[in-house]
Amino acid sequence: PSAKPADAAKVEALLTALTGTRANGFADKAAAPTLETLEVTVTLKFDETKQEKVNFARKGTDVFARREGDASAAKIDAATLDAIIKAIDALK
């Protein structure tokens, strides 16, 4: 799609959903999903040199978030991932 200005309220909703994400526990690399059930990848760029990339995935009823470069994945609530996906969809 062509570039267009983003709705500030929708961007704020996405950022709130992302920054409100909290781990309920952690899975080591062997126990975490291989992200073959990837739901979404979010990349946030802070400036020309710094960025954070997080992959979100489901494995059965469990939901995981793994920051790029980290060996372990955080377990998060499914509702949190659903809110992130909803906020991303609202920006389309």
Side-chain angles (χ1 to χ4, degrees), residues 54-69:
V54 181
N55 293 311
F56 294 90
R58 295 182 200 264
K59 184 174 185 181
T61 59
D62 293 327
V63 178
F64 297 89
R66 179 183 291 153
R67 189 169 55 184
E68 186 175 71

Side-chain angles (χ1 to χ4, degrees), residues 3 5-7 13-14 18 22-23 27 30 42-44 56 73 75 79 87 90:
D7 180 291
L14 174 58
L18 290 168
R22 299 290 177 258
V42 175
T43 303
L44 297 173
F56 294 90
K75 291 183 182 181

Side-chain angles (χ1 to χ4, degrees), residues 10 35-36 50 73:
K10 291 177 181 179
L35 301 179
E36 73 274 359
K50 182 171 169 122

Side-chain angles (χ1 to χ4, degrees), residues 17-77:
L18 290 168
T19 59
T21 302
R22 299 290 177 258
N24 296 330
F26 294 90
D28 64 24
K29 188 174 183 178
T34 60
L35 301 179
E36 73 274 359
T37 53
L38 184 66
E39 294 280 324
V40 67
T41 298
V42 175
T43 303
L44 297 173
K45 292 186 178 187
F46 300 98
D47 59 36
E48 294 299 320
T49 60
K50 182 171 169 122
Q51 74 177 23
E52 291 287 334
K53 184 176 182 179
V54 181
N55 293 311
F56 294 90
R58 295 182 200 264
K59 184 174 185 181
T61 59
D62 293 327
V63 178
F64 297 89
R66 179 183 291 153
R67 189 169 55 184
E68 186 175 71
D70 285 356
S72 63
K75 291 183 182 181
I76 64 170
D77 289 328

Side-chain angles (χ1 to χ4, degrees), residues 9-19 42 83-85 87-88 91:
K10 291 177 181 179
V11 171
E12 184 66 31
L14 174 58
L15 292 175
T16 298
L18 290 168
T19 59
V42 175
I84 291 168
I85 292 171
I88 291 170
L91 285 168

